[in-house]
Each structure stands twice: as structure tokens, then as C-alpha cells.
Amino acid sequence: MVWLEADEHTIAFEAARDIALRRLERSLACRSQVQQALERKQVDPDLIEQVLDRLEEVGLLDDLAYAQTLARTRFREKFAARSEERRVGKECASMCR
């Protein structure tokens, strides 16, 4: 049935969307990181914009959420590193007595 066959644009859009979704499956990413993944696969720039816009519309791509998550993660890592340094320092000090 001819009416069930996808046109070239639809096929290209779905392929680009799949690349973007695979990138997002690996880890949370901002728009520019997903854009770079699509550019590396030599996706048409117009299609890249369409895919990124659609992912933002459905909430799968959110730069603000990405930035907030990144900030929280880095804060936790920094706090955990300082706590570990203090713990090791106290252990070393008690061993030296």
C-alpha cells in the first residue's frame, strides 16, 4: 500500500531521532552534545534542528535540567571528596599518635 510507505524526509528524520535517542540513552546530555552527535553522523543541519526541537517539545532534551543535574552531581562529588580527605586525615593523625 503506497500510502503506508514513508517518504525520504520521514525516514531521515526517524534515523536522526534514533541517533539522538541512543545518545541520550548513554547519559543525560545538553542540546549541543546531542547536536554534535548528529553532526558526527553527518545528519542534515535542518533535520538536526527539527529533531532537537521535537525532543525538547516532548521533554527528552532539557538544558536547564541537565545543568541542574550536573551542578548537583559535581557538588556531591566535591563534598564527598572533602569528607574522604577529612576521614583519611583523621585516621592518619590517630595512627601517628
Side-chain angles (χ1 to χ4, degrees):
M1 290 189 226
V2 175
W3 59 272
L4 290 178
E5 293 178 18
D7 63 350
E8 275 186 47
H9 180 268
T10 302
I11 293 168
F13 180 87
E14 289 175 357
R17 183 196 61 209
D18 289 345
I19 293 167
L21 291 174
R22 280 195 304 275
R23 172 59 186 92
L24 290 169
E25 262 181 4
R26 284 196 332 246
S27 65
L28 192 58
C30 64
R31 183 180 175 106
S32 65
Q33 291 170 325
V34 177
Q35 180 178 351
Q36 289 170 0
L38 291 166
E39 288 171 347
R40 279 193 298 274
K41 296 291 186 175
Q42 299 177 342
V43 175
D44 180 77
D46 291 332
L47 265 179
I48 290 174
E49 288 303 312
Q50 292 172 18
V51 168
L52 295 176
D53 290 346
R54 180 65 182 144
L55 292 175
E56 283 181 341
E57 283 175 28
V58 298
L60 293 175
L61 192 59
D62 185 343
D63 281 355
L64 178 59
Y66 173 76
Q68 290 171 337
T69 301
L70 186 63
R72 277 192 303 271
T73 301
R74 292 214 173 138
F75 177 78
R76 274 192 227 122
E77 289 172 354
K78 186 176 181 179
F79 181 75
R82 285 183 182 166
S83 296
E84 181 67 12
E85 287 172 2
R86 278 188 231 121
R87 186 187 64 74
V88 170
K90 288 177 184 176
E91 286 178 9
C92 289
S94 67
M95 291 168 71
C96 293
R97 290 182 185 167

